[in-house]
Amino acid sequence: MTPSLTRSLLTERHRPTLERATSALRERGHWSAYSDNPRDYAREEGAAAFDSLTGRRFELDQPGTGDWVGAEVSPYGPTLGISYPRPDPEVLLPAMRAALPAWRDAGPEVRALVCVEILTRLAARTAELAHAVMHTTGQGYAMALQAGGPNALDRGLEAVASALVEQTRHPAATEWTRPRGRHEPLRVTSTLTPAPRGVALLVGCRTFPTWNGYPGLFASLATGNPVLVKPHPRAVLPLALTVATAREALAEAGFDPQLVALAAEGDGEHSARTLALREDVRIIDFTGSAAFGDWLEENAGQARVYTEKSGVNTVLLDSTGDYRGLLANLAFSLSLYSGQMCTTPQNLLIPRDGIETDEGPKGFDEVVSDLAGAVDGLLGDDRRAAGLLGAVADPGVLSRIAAAEETGEVALTSREFAHPEFPEGRVRTPLLVRLDARQPGVERTLLAEWFGPVSFAVAVDSTAEALALLRRTLRERGALTVLGHTTSEEVENELVAVCLDERAQLSLNLTGGVYVNQTAAFADYHGSGGNPAGNAALVDGAFVATRFHWAQVRRPA
Amino acid sequence: MTPSLTRSLLTERHRPTLERATSALRERGHWSAYSDNPRDYAREEGAAAFDSLTGRRFELDQPGTGDWVGAEVSPYGPTLGISYPRPDPEVLLPAMRAALPAWRDAGPEVRALVCVEILTRLAARTAELAHAVMHTTGQGYAMALQAGGPNALDRGLEAVASALVEQTRHPAATEWTRPRGRHEPLRVTSTLTPAPRGVALLVGCRTFPTWNGYPGLFASLATGNPVLVKPHPRAVLPLALTVATAREALAEAGFDPQLVALAAEGDGEHSARTLALREDVRIIDFTGSAAFGDWLEENAGQARVYTEKSGVNTVLLDSTGDYRGLLANLAFSLSLYSGQMCTTPQNLLIPRDGIETDEGPKGFDEVVSDLAGAVDGLLGDDRRAAGLLGAVADPGVLSRIAAAEETGEVALTSREFAHPEFPEGRVRTPLLVRLDARQPGVERTLLAEWFGPVSFAVAVDSTAEALALLRRTLRERGALTVLGHTTSEEVENELVAVCLDERAQLSLNLTGGVYVNQTAAFADYHGSGGNPAGNAALVDGAFVATRFHWAQVRRPA
């Protein structure tokens, strides 16, 4: 049967996108293939599509389907009532392995084109995906749409383009001619083929199933590896939609849909722990807790393991030329999605003697209360606040807030209020606690990750002490982000040196519409892979180059 | 003090080499920066330089030098009598770490230029290095010169060029401008800096200290990491010369010579085992036994570990259009350096009904005796044979030959004879043993690596059985090389498929002057990194991209 998606059709449709993506990778300026303006998407149609998925089975027609599982409850209240196939890995994984050779033999260009086709189809389902992300992660609708849709697709496309560049570094066939004086030259022809490692396992996370999942999914697929997607049991739908879309596109392009499959699991089953150790799982992508990420890195020796784990993100305040801008920018970063981002600042280090600003010197107390005020102002209107904060995904966050309140003096109370639209939604505003670096034992608090809307305003003796604490935090716990505010060239140089030494991503003096907890595909690296917060960066050369091996066949010419 | 090697001087000298190397990487045709014609080098001067090093201390002026150690004995007989500084890692490693920031801040271009300066200085010492390699590894002079000198330098340059390409994928500074309709666009400037991981440990091997050592050494150094070189205690001198040369060049270029240091050890000390687990060792390159390589991969979790371990190399004979060429080519591959190459063929799979050739059908017995005859012919003259075979490096090889003789019927006896020039040298010709794949328990023999001049001519039922045994061997033990001889397109396709599936490097129908156990830098990958014989390939993108991390600093424009 001739596939309906032929190579020439795919080339016509997607070659320009791939070329643009490849040049964006090189230039690293602003570029996005997908609009992230919510007004460009039909919210109501997305809601209807989402509604039609709830309360029923999500069919995927995978081999080895055993029972059906599903326990998703929206952080906004409603139970989703969707059940997904739970596969028997002894049946599904061999089927996935069997799909590999034809996909490998199609070559990097065709794989990239098919991947872009999948991304394009996902883009067409953006509003539907937005609802799925919203009602599994608790993100507000606008954020669920942007981060869960176009921004995630951009990261996926970045991975596809990176993989294509890496696999086409040199020709697929070469000639080698070595002169030998009066003798005939030696001549060899070679084929150089990217040979995939084998089945990749994607272990999805609760808070950003698509944004954190697409890079690994598409990097593995574009380099020839089948991908088994094991979503977080409370955030299955966004990845199930992704898998279904990928399977359709693969089949229409003439490939085995088993190249992408879903491994749903029962609640509390922890199937990632057994899947990850299977000899036939050769790649693992994971976003989540340091404990499980460390376990994977230590135990899944048969696989290449890519982790983004928890870190402790620091803000260092030394001085600023735009005090109001600093407060507004930081207040937004603390509030967005109730701090449930791996990039949300946690420890705000402020000299106890205060900081220099364009409004004159500001004491420690003043800075803390001004920041608390800025958050209060930002979240003054419940409807607007609810959209920004979203809902708390994991009830564990609530007890973490309670525990954090006990660590010091509360400077800003975490407020709970009824979501205007979803009265059952768990909405919480940021908590800000005052600590002093001199307090005995305070390191225990500061060197732990308090995932959720928890931040500490920490009085330090000096900027030098803040730099030392930053260095220690980065070395021992790692970080996804560091933010610094200073007008001093010397302090800036020291901040840069610490972040280079400890391989952390630094943002300086953000006072406008760019936030420390957001990165842009094609321009910004997310994580570095070089500190304890994770061993992978989105999307650097190592992220794709390590997912395949070069297989060479030499023949005398 | 102004360094005598300025950036402009280095640029003038080495920029053209780097450019040529970079284009060679892309094209993957024949190219070498260094002549490997022994006649281009002054053998006697090299011998004199080597002699002047023996019987004394090898001074390196490293911090933390404790006692002096050394127990090198040439496989050709003479004791070298050289002692090397054994460092205290508690002193040396902090000094190396302290050297990192300035080397990092110099940037990828300067690092690459300095690396080429080091390679150029090593090239000027080629004849001296050749003697050092010869009298530690047991290689014949010509091979020690070629493989230990120019071919090793080529691999080093390949690593430098790859590292430069990887670190200059995009500009070091970028601008990001996001339009926002009627609002001012968002503008961010970024710096993107390759941030090295930390101290790299190179664990050298006995048989190819420079060829197997230079890729990791130069890949780490070019990406900003200081390198601690821990040579095999019986093959220190080639790497000590390398370290001394690197330190001189680094110092003259204004960098801290501690960026490259030697960690000699006492005999039986096994210092790699403790160094490898140090928290400040962040990269490890290792060539050697599967046992220690596996141990490193499993235990040195704080480091990125690059291994080339032992494998089992297979030759599959199905049919040939040049029987004499096949025999001559294979006889050479079995004989070169007495089979002490990780790339030497071990299991020769031959259908028991024989093979089709241009000289008509040849039975199994005939093929085996013809191959034995070809080896005998090649090694008929003792002087020539001694040059080709070299000496046996590790006495363990001798007992391995004895054990192999017990596994089946000896088709070609491993002959011992006095080296014409060095009567104490251990010279051994290849052993060829006949086995049958039907023999019970024969897999134990075939699936073990018999490092040294040991090969098995294995009768198999059919080419199909040979392919199955090849696949099993690759999957369970891995291989650095696979050689196939066939005139059948179908068999060729099946061979290619097996090697792609198991990620092994395949050579087909070699009958002339290209040998399965030799690879050329810039054109051929050595290993794939994707089968159990090792996790690294020389030199693919993964080999360099994983040695540094991108550190980004964002600033609002």
Side-chain angles (χ1 to χ4, degrees):
Chain A
M1 200 184 75
T2 312
S4 54
L5 280 174
T6 60
R7 180 177 180 147
S8 64
L9 185 63
L10 288 167
T11 302
E12 192 188 319
R13 270 192 205 163
H14 302 309
R15 186 67 231 172
T17 305
L18 275 176
E19 276 164 23
R20 184 66 190 84
T22 305
S23 65
L25 265 188
R26 269 196 311 273
E27 294 156 9
R28 300 193 81 77
H30 169 70
W31 183 65
S32 168
Y34 312 98
S35 162
D36 68 355
N37 185 343
R39 271 173 263 165
D40 290 341
Y41 300 95
R43 180 168 183 166
E44 292 316 315
E45 283 174 31
F50 168 74
D51 287 342
S52 74
L53 294 166
T54 57
R56 52 185 294 186
R57 280 188 174 180
F58 193 100
E59 297 284 351
L60 276 171
D61 197 23
Q62 292 183 174
T65 292
D67 48 351
W68 292 75
V69 291
E72 289 164 298
V73 179
S74 170
Y76 293 98
T79 295
L80 270 58
I82 311 174
S83 58
Y84 304 91
R86 177 163 65 177
D88 176 356
E90 299 300 334
V91 178
L92 181 57
L93 281 164
M96 297 182 75
R97 290 205 312 272
L100 185 152
W103 184 238
R104 172 191 69 208
D105 296 345
E109 175 87 18
V110 166
R111 285 196 296 271
L113 291 167
V114 174
C115 285
V116 179
E117 174 70 23
I118 297 169
L119 290 165
T120 306
R121 290 173 183 222
L122 288 168
R125 302 178 81 163
T126 295
E128 181 184 7
L129 266 170
H131 283 87
V133 169
M134 178 181 177
H135 285 293
T136 48
T137 68
Q139 291 173 26
Y141 174 75
M143 181 177 179
L145 184 138
Q146 294 177 322
N151 299 166
L153 296 169
D154 275 335
R155 283 282 178 201
L157 181 58
E158 182 183 41
V160 171
S162 295
L164 181 61
V165 168
E166 191 62 39
Q167 294 174 94
T168 52
R169 282 176 163 251
H170 48 62
T174 59
E175 289 185 26
W176 182 87
T177 305
R178 176 172 183 154
R180 290 197 298 175
R182 289 156 307 164
H183 300 279
E184 273 289 285
L186 293 175
R187 292 182 199 277
V188 173
T189 62
S190 287
T191 56
L192 299 156
T193 307
R197 287 181 57 80
V199 174
L201 174 67
L202 171 65
V203 182
C205 79
R206 172 76 191 264
T207 44
F208 289 92
T210 57
W211 197 94
N212 276 111
Y214 285 0
L217 168 60
F218 284 98
S220 288
L221 195 60
T223 51
N225 305 281
V227 184
L228 181 61
V229 178
K230 205 296 291 171
H232 188 286
R234 301 288 169 155
V236 183
L237 186 58
L239 290 176
L241 284 168
T242 304
V243 168
T245 305
R247 291 169 66 87
E248 281 165 20
L250 285 162
E252 287 178 38
F255 295 99
D256 190 334
Q258 312 316 335
L259 286 166
V260 179
L262 188 77
E265 63 179 338
D267 223 23
E269 191 180 331
H270 302 301
S271 64
R273 199 169 273 267
T274 48
L275 287 171
L277 299 185
R278 287 184 65 101
E279 197 51 42
D280 49 5
V281 167
R282 305 297 312 282
I283 291 171
I284 299 170
D285 284 273
F286 169 75
T287 308
S289 73
F292 191 55
D294 290 345
W295 183 88
L296 284 171
E297 290 177 20
E298 282 160 26
N299 291 283
Q302 87 292 352
R304 294 265 160 106
V305 176
Y306 305 81
T307 59
E308 185 196 305
K309 301 174 288 189
S310 58
V312 173
N313 302 320
T314 296
V315 178
L316 187 149
L317 301 187
D318 170 73
S319 49
T320 179
D322 179 4
Y323 186 57
R324 293 295 136 189
L326 179 163
L327 294 172
N329 184 281
L330 188 52
F332 183 87
S333 283
L334 297 179
S335 303
L336 185 63
Y337 188 26
S338 291
Q340 297 169 99
M341 301 176 73
C342 52
T343 50
T344 304
Q346 176 183 301
N347 296 343
L348 322 179
L349 311 184
I350 310 166
R352 73 180 75 257
D353 293 339
I355 64 173
E356 291 296 327
T357 80
D358 55 320
E359 298 182 2
K362 300 281 178 184
F364 175 84
D365 291 342
E366 200 174 354
V367 172
V368 175
S369 66
D370 285 348
L371 180 60
V375 173
D376 267 342
L378 179 68
L379 303 177
D381 171 69
D382 275 5
R383 176 165 287 277
R384 189 174 168 220
L388 192 61
L389 295 165
V392 169
D394 174 5
V397 165
L398 305 180
S399 49
R400 203 170 296 129
I401 295 172
E405 286 168 345
E406 302 303 311
T407 61
E409 185 192 328
V410 171
L412 175 67
T413 305
S414 173
R415 191 160 59 87
E416 187 170 3
F417 65 89
H419 193 287
E421 205 176 333
F422 303 98
E424 289 173 79
R426 292 181 293 267
V427 184
R428 293 297 294 257
T429 65
L431 169 74
L432 183 61
V433 177
R434 289 168 61 126
L435 294 178
D436 194 306
R438 286 185 189 162
Q439 284 171 243
V442 74
E443 293 93 345
R444 271 207 311 281
T445 304
L446 295 179
L447 292 176
E449 188 195 37
W450 297 77
F451 189 78
V454 174
S455 295
F456 302 103
V458 187
V460 291
D461 285 347
S462 62
T463 295
E465 189 190 10
L467 285 162
L469 184 53
L470 168 63
R471 186 184 288 274
R472 181 176 168 196
T473 306
L474 290 175
R475 192 169 292 175
E476 294 183 18
R477 299 304 313 271
L480 271 305
T481 59
V482 178
L483 173 61
H485 278 277
T486 182
T487 57
S488 151
E489 201 180 317
E490 191 190 334
V491 171
E492 179 171 326
N493 289 342
E494 285 169 350
L495 255 171
V496 169
V498 169
C499 290
L500 274 175
D501 287 350
E502 306 303 330
R503 297 165 298 279
Q505 310 301 16
L506 172 65
S507 296
L508 283 167
N509 300 324
L510 297 182
T511 54
V514 174
Y515 301 98
V516 68
N517 35 351
Q518 296 180 328
T519 61
F522 296 101
D524 298 330
Y525 288 111
H526 173 78
S528 78
N531 69 54
N535 70 8
L538 304 182
V539 172
D540 65 3
F543 193 74
V544 295
T546 43
R547 291 174 196 258
F548 71 95
H549 305 280
W550 286 106
Q552 182 173 9
V553 182
R554 297 193 296 180
R555 298 171 175 88
Chain B
M1 200 184 73
T2 312
S4 54
L5 280 174
T6 60
R7 180 177 182 147
S8 64
L9 184 63
L10 289 167
T11 302
E12 192 188 318
R13 270 192 205 165
H14 302 308
R15 186 67 229 170
T17 306
L18 275 176
E19 276 165 22
R20 184 66 190 83
T22 305
S23 65
L25 266 187
R26 271 196 310 272
E27 295 156 10
R28 299 195 81 78
H30 169 70
W31 183 66
S32 168
Y34 312 98
S35 163
D36 68 355
N37 185 342
R39 270 174 263 167
D40 290 341
Y41 300 94
R43 179 168 183 167
E44 293 315 315
E45 283 174 30
F50 169 73
D51 286 343
S52 74
L53 294 167
T54 57
R56 52 184 294 182
R57 281 189 173 179
F58 192 103
E59 297 284 352
L60 276 171
D61 197 24
Q62 291 181 172
T65 292
D67 48 351
W68 292 74
V69 292
E72 288 164 300
V73 179
S74 170
Y76 293 99
T79 295
L80 270 57
I82 311 174
S83 58
Y84 304 90
R86 178 163 63 177
D88 176 357
E90 299 299 335
V91 178
L92 182 57
L93 281 164
M96 297 181 74
R97 291 205 311 272
L100 186 151
W103 184 238
R104 173 192 69 208
D105 296 344
E109 175 87 17
V110 165
R111 284 196 297 271
L113 291 167
V114 173
C115 285
V116 180
E117 174 70 23
I118 297 169
L119 290 164
T120 305
R121 290 172 182 223
L122 288 167
R125 301 178 82 164
T126 294
E128 181 185 8
L129 265 170
H131 283 86
V133 169
M134 178 181 178
H135 285 294
T136 47
T137 68
Q139 291 175 24
Y141 174 74
M143 182 179 178
L145 185 138
Q146 294 176 323
N151 300 166
L153 296 170
D154 275 336
R155 284 283 178 200
L157 182 57
E158 182 183 40
V160 172
S162 296
L164 181 60
V165 168
E166 191 63 39
Q167 294 173 93
T168 52
R169 282 173 164 254
H170 48 63
T174 58
E175 289 185 27
W176 181 88
T177 305
R178 176 171 184 154
R180 289 195 299 175
R182 288 157 306 164
H183 299 280
E184 273 290 285
L186 293 174
R187 292 182 200 275
V188 173
T189 62
S190 285
T191 57
L192 299 156
T193 307
R197 286 181 58 78
V199 173
L201 175 68
L202 171 65
V203 182
C205 79
R206 172 74 189 267
T207 45
F208 289 92
T210 56
W211 197 95
N212 276 111
Y214 285 0
L217 168 59
F218 284 98
S220 288
L221 196 59
T223 50
N225 305 281
V227 184
L228 181 62
V229 178
K230 204 297 290 171
H232 188 286
R234 301 288 170 155
V236 184
L237 186 58
L239 290 176
L241 284 168
T242 304
V243 168
T245 305
R247 292 168 66 86
E248 280 165 22
L250 285 161
E252 288 178 38
F255 294 100
D256 190 334
Q258 313 314 337
L259 286 166
V260 179
L262 189 76
E265 63 179 337
D267 222 22
E269 191 181 332
H270 303 301
S271 64
R273 198 169 274 269
T274 47
L275 287 172
L277 299 184
R278 287 184 65 101
E279 197 51 43
D280 47 6
V281 167
R282 304 298 312 280
I283 292 172
I284 299 172
D285 283 273
F286 169 75
T287 308
S289 72
F292 191 54
D294 290 344
W295 183 87
L296 284 171
E297 290 176 20
E298 283 159 26
N299 291 282
Q302 87 293 351
R304 295 265 159 105
V305 177
Y306 306 81
T307 60
E308 184 196 305
K309 301 175 289 190
S310 58
V312 173
N313 302 319
T314 297
V315 178
L316 187 149
L317 300 186
D318 170 73
S319 50
T320 178
D322 180 3
Y323 186 56
R324 294 295 136 187
L326 179 162
L327 294 172
N329 183 281
L330 189 51
F332 183 89
S333 283
L334 296 179
S335 303
L336 185 62
Y337 187 26
S338 291
Q340 296 170 98
M341 300 175 72
C342 53
T343 51
T344 304
Q346 175 183 301
N347 296 343
L348 322 179
L349 311 184
I350 310 167
R352 70 180 75 256
D353 294 337
I355 64 173
E356 292 297 326
T357 80
D358 54 321
E359 298 182 3
K362 300 282 178 184
F364 176 82
D365 291 344
E366 201 175 355
V367 172
V368 174
S369 67
D370 285 349
L371 180 60
V375 173
D376 267 342
L378 179 69
L379 305 176
D381 172 68
D382 275 5
R383 175 164 290 276
R384 191 179 165 216
L388 192 61
L389 294 164
V392 169
D394 174 6
V397 165
L398 305 178
S399 50
R400 203 171 296 131
I401 293 172
E405 286 168 346
E406 303 302 312
T407 60
E409 185 191 330
V410 171
L412 175 66
T413 305
S414 173
R415 192 160 59 85
E416 185 169 5
F417 65 90
H419 194 286
E421 208 177 330
F422 302 98
E424 289 173 77
R426 294 180 293 266
V427 185
R428 293 296 295 258
T429 65
L431 169 74
L432 184 61
V433 177
R434 289 168 61 125
L435 294 177
D436 194 306
R438 286 186 190 162
Q439 283 171 244
V442 74
E443 294 92 344
R444 270 207 312 280
T445 304
L446 296 179
L447 292 177
E449 187 194 37
W450 296 77
F451 189 78
V454 174
S455 295
F456 303 103
V458 187
V460 292
D461 286 347
S462 62
T463 295
E465 189 189 9
L467 285 162
L469 185 52
L470 168 63
R471 186 184 288 274
R472 182 176 167 196
T473 306
L474 291 175
R475 192 168 293 176
E476 294 184 17
R477 299 304 313 272
L480 270 305
T481 60
V482 178
L483 173 61
H485 279 277
T486 184
T487 58
S488 152
E489 201 182 315
E490 190 189 333
V491 171
E492 180 171 325
N493 290 342
E494 285 170 351
L495 255 171
V496 169
V498 169
C499 289
L500 274 175
D501 286 350
E502 305 303 330
R503 297 163 298 279
Q505 309 301 15
L506 172 65
S507 297
L508 283 167
N509 301 324
L510 298 183
T511 56
V514 174
Y515 302 97
V516 68
N517 35 351
Q518 296 180 327
T519 60
F522 296 102
D524 298 329
Y525 288 111
H526 172 78
S528 77
N531 69 54
N535 71 8
L538 305 180
V539 172
D540 65 4
F543 193 74
V544 294
T546 43
R547 290 173 197 259
F548 71 94
H549 305 279
W550 286 106
Q552 181 172 9
V553 181
R554 297 193 296 181
R555 297 172 175 87

